[in-house]
Amino acid sequence: DSGVTQTPKHLITATGQRVTLRCSPRSGDLSVYWYQQSLDQGLQFLIQYYNGEERAKGNILERFSAQQFPDLHSELNLSSLELGDSALYFCASSVGWGTGEYNEQFFGPGTRLTVL
Amino acid sequence: AQSVTQLGSHVSVSEGALVLLRCNYSSSVPPYLFWYVQYPNQGLQLLLKYTSAATLVKGINGFEAEFKKSETSFHLTKPSAHMSDAAEYFCAVSDLTGGGADGLTFGKGTHLIIQP
């Protein structure tokens, strides 16, 4: 158990809909990262927040957005869903920012999104 | 931009045999390199990481990897495979060109199969 929690575990929805995925980082971690794992694209970095502020952006679509709240939990919002958005969405957390020697990312178990 | 290539989407070895999973990276500056393992229906777990200290890195569960700058490689090895090693393995890279604030770039993954 990494200490990172994600809810829900599974989500099934229809095209055009909007969903929210939630992540609670490990106690004491200030950074939250979101990744998407799909058969087509593999594991891709989406976005990172550090202490409530957006820190880095990866291959995140404009239909997707995220935020980190004062209690440090984070939500990933996916809107106007398409079939191709079906994937496993991982959240990771770390103490600080960057990927240096002392800033290991700990991954949650993921949320499996199925768009029908 | 950095990238990672994992040779072989599937690798099959016999129990007790040597495990060798290949990873080559492309980065404009010396990177940090990571190997993660993903068991079915679980998140990613860090096996080991290279952060410019010793080039031979020892990780958990008997795995180790050697950073070879001349070959731009970071292959993962284990002397004797266990049935419990069956999983998906991901090589990942980061570099410091973005000021250190960036997510990881992952390879496509290698599925390790252990034959009894």
Side-chain angles (χ1 to χ4, degrees):
Chain A
D1 185 353
S2 66
V4 179
T5 60
Q6 291 187 247
T7 57
K9 205 168 183 177
H10 300 276
L11 199 47
I12 301 174
T13 189
T15 54
Q17 294 298 305
R18 173 189 167 94
V19 297
T20 298
L21 312 184
R22 183 188 168 105
C23 168
S24 293
R26 293 187 322 151
S27 176
D29 284 357
L30 298 179
S31 268
V32 169
Y33 308 76
W34 286 97
Y35 292 86
Q36 179 195 59
Q37 185 179 33
S38 66
L39 286 174
D40 293 343
Q41 303 293 330
L43 253 171
Q44 287 196 101
F45 165 66
L46 296 178
I47 197 164
Q48 176 202 2
Y49 278 80
Y50 174 74
N51 204 21
E53 301 287 328
E54 183 184 302
R55 181 72 191 172
K57 239 176 182 174
N59 298 320
I60 190 165
L61 299 171
E62 284 193 16
R63 300 183 285 109
F64 295 1
S65 65
Q67 54 185 324
Q68 186 178 27
F69 294 87
D71 68 352
L72 300 176
H73 90 272
S74 177
E75 293 181 356
L76 179 67
N77 300 295
L78 315 176
S79 61
S80 303
L81 284 168
E82 302 174 359
L83 295 177
D85 297 328
S86 295
L88 197 50
Y89 291 84
F90 286 110
C91 168
S93 74
S94 67
V95 170
W97 55 267
T99 49
E101 183 169 357
Y102 303 107
N103 197 39
E104 178 180 339
Q105 292 183 32
F106 293 85
F107 282 76
T111 293
R112 183 169 294 282
L113 174 66
T114 303
V115 182
L116 300 175
Chain B
Q2 65 270 35
S3 65
V4 172
T5 302
Q6 291 184 239
L7 279 173
S9 59
H10 291 77
V11 169
S12 179
V13 302
S14 299
E15 191 174 18
L18 171 73
V19 174
L20 171 61
L21 305 182
R22 300 177 188 274
C23 171
N24 288 89
Y25 69 90
S26 169
S27 176
S28 56
V29 297
Y32 289 167
L33 291 156
F34 307 80
W35 275 99
Y36 281 84
V37 61
Q38 184 181 26
Y39 298 102
N41 300 314
Q42 292 187 29
L44 282 77
Q45 181 183 9
L46 182 66
L47 275 177
L48 50 80
K49 60 186 176 186
Y50 166 76
T51 56
S52 75
T55 55
L56 183 61
V57 182
K58 293 189 185 299
I60 62 171
N61 301 338
F63 284 94
E64 62 181 39
E66 186 172 7
F67 173 71
K68 291 188 177 179
K69 187 178 176 182
S70 60
E71 298 177 8
T72 60
S73 69
F74 190 57
H75 302 331
L76 181 71
T77 60
K78 181 173 181 178
S80 176
H82 271 230
M83 295 300 292
S84 60
D85 294 328
E88 192 82 16
Y89 291 79
F90 293 92
C91 183
V93 66
S94 70
D95 66 39
L96 302 179
T97 56
D102 203 353
L104 297 172
T105 299
F106 285 88
K108 294 285 189 186
T110 297
H111 188 65
L112 178 63
I113 301 160
I114 311 295
Q115 306 278 7

